[in-house]
Amino acid sequence: MQAPPDADHRAEPGISAAPDSAAGRAAFVGVVATGAAVAIGEFLAGVVPGVPSPILSVGQQLIDLQPPGAKEFVVSLFGTADKLALEIIVLVVALGIGALVGLIGRSQPARAMGIIAAFVAIGVASSLRDPETVLTLAVGSGLAEFAVGATILDRLLAVARGDDGRSPTTHATMPDWSRRSLLIRGGLVAVGSVAASAFGRSLLARQRQTTPGAVPVAEDQVSLPTGADLSIPGLTPIVVPNADFYRIDTALIPPNVDRTTWQLRIHGMVDREVTLTYDQLIELPVIEQYVTIACVSNRVGGDLVGNAKWTGVRLRDVLDMAGVQTGATQMVGRSVDGWTAGSPTAWVMDPEREPMIALGMNGAPLPREHGYPARVIVPGLFGYVSATKWVTELEFTTLEAFDAYWVPLGWAKEAPILTQSRIDVPVRNTQVPAGPMKLAGVAWAPDRGVASVEVSIDDDVFREATLSVPISNATWVQWEFPWIATSGSHRARVRATDSTGETQTETATRPDPNGARGWHTISFIVA
Ligand SMILES: Nc1nc2c(c(=O)[nH]1)N[C@H]1C(S)=C(S)[C@@H](COP(=O)(O)O)O[C@H]1N2
Ligand SMILES: [Mo]
């Protein structure tokens, strides 16, 4: 194999990545200028509270628009990974438009400036929907973004043309000078942009982390029964620590709610509209209970489910103050950011269960990601039809009169949590040593309760696993299954039966419209 004869001469080390054509250079300039404009916005958002992050603002706008086709994308209801993907998409599209701006800027600088201005305006406008945005600061930051973007575009385009003032040369005499200079200056701006954005973002994350205040103390404190946790290495703990608890919501940044000004309003089909402050709310008896909550978009074997000890007040104590009218078949929870969940009134009023307004989670104030200062917890219902975080309104209406957030996107209007079970140990597709071992996992059927869990290995008959001591019907259980591992590759399946006698069905289904069905099946190898 031989390289073309003059290949070595053409490759100039160090600047071989420099944009070669005039168009390439202009596009490069546009990308760098746009990136710098975004970066100054992200930087200011971190440094000055009230300044919106441009990327997060546009991303949140896209989520809130619920674009057609979103249902496929959001089957996972915006887990953390989806949010990062969305941010990256927004950034890549912005930089792509930046490249166009650079190309246009060569011949029509005014038009290029106009596009940058429009672009900044979209960012500012999107940010105004966030209650934390301060209008004047948003506009000020927008002006800074425009100034930075426009200036850098102007200067670097001049460099790209070779008339940056510093080197009054012509392309004919020093053809490489402008390219080298462009690469160095553009590169410096790009590096600075990345650093400024990263710095801004790290400050922004910290800005939004506080959940001040203490947890109210429950009159009757609950604790775990002995035997509630089988304590098997690799098995999900029976109570999931807050830091490990799954998080699902449509908020790119969790709302920052001040609990001293926060209010909960109960209205609609009630006898008396009631508005409670945090301090008024905790004058009601404070209770605590363990409840397992689950996401409808959890796939078979997935981990969008968790069990925590919730502290708060009885939802029905609050509702009794307002007097729910007969005929009000739906309770709509609304969060400070406008998200809604609708639960059947009959479900929350059933004396067999104790729905609550939760204020604490595992002994701490609700973390911001989980709804500080208050959220709804309804045993037995999937999160999207009940568990409103950052709740600020409970509106009573009929099931027919209102569709909450996810319903028009193709999810069921009424959605009790399905019975599901999962194998945690061994981890699928891993290798375990031969000899006696335990398979283990969790199973849940809130708030019917799990009656039994069965395991089948290599298509042998299903045999019953041993369960942890249940905390209550509203919580999951752990299960363990002793087995003597023989070398070779194996397949394990699990299925649970709830207290009504209903066993999980075998065929795997998609999560939509009302939850995934099917037996969790894993393969593993015994060495
Ligand atoms: N305000 C608000 N509350 C919300 C949501 C949301 O998007 N916004 N998502 C719901 C969904 S789909 C689920 S599964 C649970 C998840 O609660 P967690 O994040 O505390 O685990 O919150 C529910 N409450
Ligand atoms: Mo969910």
Side-chain angles (χ1 to χ4, degrees), residues 415-442:
I417 300 177
L418 299 181
T419 303
Q420 290 184 321
S421 52
R422 184 178 80 205
I423 303 169
D424 286 348
V425 184
V427 174
R428 69 186 181 95
N429 299 334
T430 56
Q431 193 166 309
V432 296
M437 66 170 290
K438 274 176 184 168
L439 286 83
V442 283

Side-chain angles (χ1 to χ4, degrees), residues 76-78 83 245-251 255 293-297 304-306 310 333-341 361 366-367 369-371 375-377 382-391 405-406:
S76 54
L77 305 194
F78 294 105
K83 285 177 178 160
F245 209 91
Y246 85 95
R247 173 192 166 196
I248 294 287
D249 54 61
T250 60
I293 65 170
C295 186
V296 68
S297 60
L304 301 179
V305 53
W310 308 97
R334 188 170 283 112
S335 69
V336 295
D337 64 357
W339 186 88
T340 50
M361 181 176 182
L366 275 182
E369 294 73 23
H370 298 290
R375 74 174 305 170
V376 180
I377 292 290
F382 276 127
Y384 83 106
V385 288
S386 67
T388 311
K389 305 193 271 191
W390 316 290
V391 64
Y405 189 93
W406 285 109

Side-chain angles (χ1 to χ4, degrees), residues 16-352:
S16 54
D20 243 348
S21 67
R25 286 180 221 188
F28 171 73
V29 167
V31 169
V32 169
T34 314
V38 170
I40 195 73
E42 295 297 338
F43 176 79
L44 290 173
V47 175
V48 188
V51 171
S53 143
I55 297 285
L56 291 175
S57 300
V58 173
Q60 189 69 54
Q61 177 82 50
L62 289 178
I63 292 176
D64 294 345
L65 285 176
Q66 303 189 350
K71 187 183 161 203
E72 290 306 310
F73 177 62
V74 296
V75 156
S76 54
L77 305 194
F78 294 105
T80 316
D82 304 323
K83 285 177 178 160
L84 185 60
L86 179 65
E87 286 193 54
I88 290 171
I89 291 168
V90 171
L91 179 63
V92 167
V93 170
L95 296 180
I97 294 174
L100 271 175
V101 166
L103 291 173
I104 293 170
R106 282 185 303 167
S107 52
Q108 297 165 288
R111 174 168 291 188
M113 297 300 165
I115 297 176
I116 296 182
F119 209 51
V120 168
I122 290 174
V124 172
S126 302
S127 75
L128 297 181
R129 321 182 67 242
D130 179 349
E132 280 171 59
T133 299
V134 177
L135 173 67
T136 48
L137 293 178
V139 172
S141 161
L143 289 175
E145 288 163 28
F146 177 76
V148 165
T151 308
I152 290 179
L153 184 73
D154 182 62
R155 298 282 159 81
L156 287 186
L157 279 178
V159 176
R161 281 193 303 267
D163 58 352
D164 62 346
R166 211 166 71 98
S167 54
T169 59
T170 63
H171 296 278
T173 56
M174 287 186 73
D176 274 332
W177 172 251
S178 70
R179 192 171 67 165
R180 196 184 302 261
S181 169
L182 175 65
L183 190 72
I184 291 170
R185 295 182 198 193
L188 281 178
V189 173
V191 168
S193 300
V194 171
S197 309
F199 180 71
R201 268 312 170 78
S202 68
L203 287 187
L204 189 67
R206 214 167 307 162
Q207 233 186 66
R208 306 207 173 206
Q209 237 170 27
T210 46
T211 57
V215 208
V217 178
E219 286 161 18
D220 294 311
Q221 314 229 339
V222 295
S223 54
L224 291 177
T226 22
D229 199 316
L230 299 172
S231 304
I232 294 172
L235 172 59
T236 305
I238 201 74
V239 179
V240 180
N242 292 354
D244 302 338
F245 209 91
Y246 85 95
R247 173 192 166 196
I248 294 287
D249 54 61
T250 60
L252 270 186
I253 292 193
N256 191 14
V257 183
D258 179 353
R259 108 176 173 187
T260 60
T261 54
W262 172 86
Q263 293 188 323
L264 177 63
R265 173 171 166 241
I266 299 95
H267 65 113
M269 295 172 71
V270 293
D271 295 337
R272 306 159 286 282
E273 184 172 320
V274 171
T275 302
L276 297 168
T277 64
Y278 188 88
D279 287 339
Q280 289 169 330
L281 193 69
I282 58 173
E283 278 169 27
L284 291 167
V286 174
I287 61 161
E288 61 184 30
Q289 63 177 329
Y290 292 94
V291 177
T292 296
I293 65 170
C295 186
V296 68
S297 60
N298 195 41
R299 294 169 198 282
V300 174
D303 57 5
L304 301 179
V305 53
N307 184 49
K309 182 173 77 179
W310 308 97
T311 306
V313 300
R314 293 183 184 91
L315 175 67
R316 281 197 293 268
D317 283 353
V318 174
L319 300 186
D320 285 348
M321 299 171 84
V324 177
Q325 295 173 354
T326 45
T329 47
Q330 182 174 211
M331 178 184 87
V332 177
R334 188 170 283 112
S335 69
V336 295
D337 64 357
W339 186 88
T340 50
S343 320
T345 309
W347 189 282
V348 300
M349 288 304 195
D350 185 336
E352 295 288 306

